Amino acid sequence: MTHDTSSPIDGQGLEALEARLHEDLKFLCWPGKDWVPAREGVTDVVIIGGGMCGMVAWTALKTGGIHNMRVLDRSPEGLEGPWLTYARMETLRSPKELTGPAYGHGALTFQAWYRAQFGTEDWEALDKIPRPMWMDYLKWYRKVLDIPTENGVSVDLVEPEGDLLRLHLSGASEGSILCRKLIFATGRDGTGQPNIPGFVKNLESKYWAHSADEIDFDALKGKRVAVVGVGASAVDNAAEALEHGAAEVRHLIRRKEMPTINKMMGIGSFGFTAGYASLPDKWRWRFMQYSFATQTPPPHGSTNRVSRHPNAFFHFGKAVQSTVEKNGAVQVGFADGSSYEADFVILGTGFTIDPLSRTEFGDAAGNILLWQDVYTPPEDEQSRDLGRFPYLNEDFTFREKVPGTASWLSNVYCFNYGASASLGKVSGDIPGISEGAGWLTRAVAGQLYSEDVAEHWQAMLDYDKPELDGSEWTPTELACDEKKGKVA
């Protein structure tokens, strides 16, 4: 016996799905009641980043009745996040069924969006989500919720102004704005920057690029390309070079063997998501350091995308130590004394997490508390990279390295990859992003309410709307028998 797994919106188009979503939201009294007292000229919450993290943060805050918000993104509309820029994988790694940024709304999931257009049969046949299609879904998400993202606007510097934050902008109609709370929903490099190894320091930029850069792959046709690393971004960039006609592509890999097991995948659960942040430092460090040390392997499909080319090579035990321009090419030197000549080098070396590199914090960047300031790991669990992650409060806010030097950092929320060492995978990756947005919203709402508690108390005292008008009852006299003291 077969069961019909279709839904009323299957193949009915986005119009039907949007009607269903808006009805569901109406049933849930969405958006929540606006309860934050207004301050003239002040925005309650500013979200930097209009991609997946920024949009689900906005959705959660709106659900909680926080309405006075602005969402800023430096990219043009439709190019928020990495999906159509430096992300070059064919499909997402995450399983297609994950609910991602839907924030508990079935009609807001990728699955609902896909099935409304293509039906159940196509959904069942779909293996992984094509990367450009994920961006199409996120653009629909923004449209259907009417998220007022301001594109082409950058936050250049954040400074305290009393109990508020002054954000200095470029690309906006005004030079600066005041806000109470600031959320960095800035993705993978949200508290850092691309990791540029020192061995390219003296090499002309025309000979190399980071995997997060805009790369002219057409110019690599017929060229010898060296790709440093074998993570997901390295492999995807190698595939792009091969598909654009590179003469050969050689992965230069420091490790002796290919990483094959995604250790985090093996322990993923709601328990891990909910419990990680409250674990002692030694356990949080141990989980993350082990994940870093074993390395997440590139996806199966992405790796095959490279290895199916006969002119693709994987070289293990080749730690790059130097790059030198020689006769219009790059001489790549390895720790074992050997070398290789390439025409172009792609650095698949990921991102650093280093709040000191973020110009938005100005001089206060040096006052941000880091894991290396707090925790000394055992000798066999050392990790310089992990030590540079910010050591956050459980509400996503930054901590001061020295109390009293930058107290305003407690009004800045790290809702991006930089939070993973302190709070787990709840502010950047698809599986836990909605849970993270819920925690963030409770934290922001609680702090806003606490700061305005005197106004809320006064509002309670002033509230005088009667629920009874006197017509609901008739007063009567209680007559008593004076001799017996009983009711007559």
Side-chain angles (χ1 to χ4, degrees), residues 412-429:
V412 184
Y413 298 76
C414 181
F415 193 60
N416 56 50
Y417 178 66
S420 57
S422 296
L423 304 176
K425 303 286 189 173
V426 294
S427 56
D429 292 341

Side-chain angles (χ1 to χ4, degrees), residues 189-194 352-361 365 388:
D189 62 338
T191 42
Q193 60 186 353
T352 64
I353 294 298
D354 183 5
L356 298 180
S357 68
R358 302 302 302 193
T359 59
E360 297 97 328
F361 292 110
R388 302 295 290 176

Side-chain angles (χ1 to χ4, degrees), residues 151-182:
N151 290 94
V153 178
S154 296
V155 176
D156 301 323
L157 181 65
V158 182
E159 293 180 314
E161 189 168 309
D163 62 346
L164 303 174
L165 300 175
R166 173 71 67 179
L167 312 185
H168 298 275
L169 311 176
S170 57
S173 57
E174 68 270 65
S176 68
I177 56 177
L178 278 172
C179 72
R180 297 177 64 180
K181 307 296 176 186
L182 178 63

Side-chain angles (χ1 to χ4, degrees), residues 86-103:
Y86 65 82
R88 298 183 174 110
M89 62 283 202
E90 290 184 319
T91 66
L92 273 58
R93 179 195 296 268
S94 299
K96 65 182 181 181
E97 295 88 358
L98 294 184
T99 57
Y103 201 63

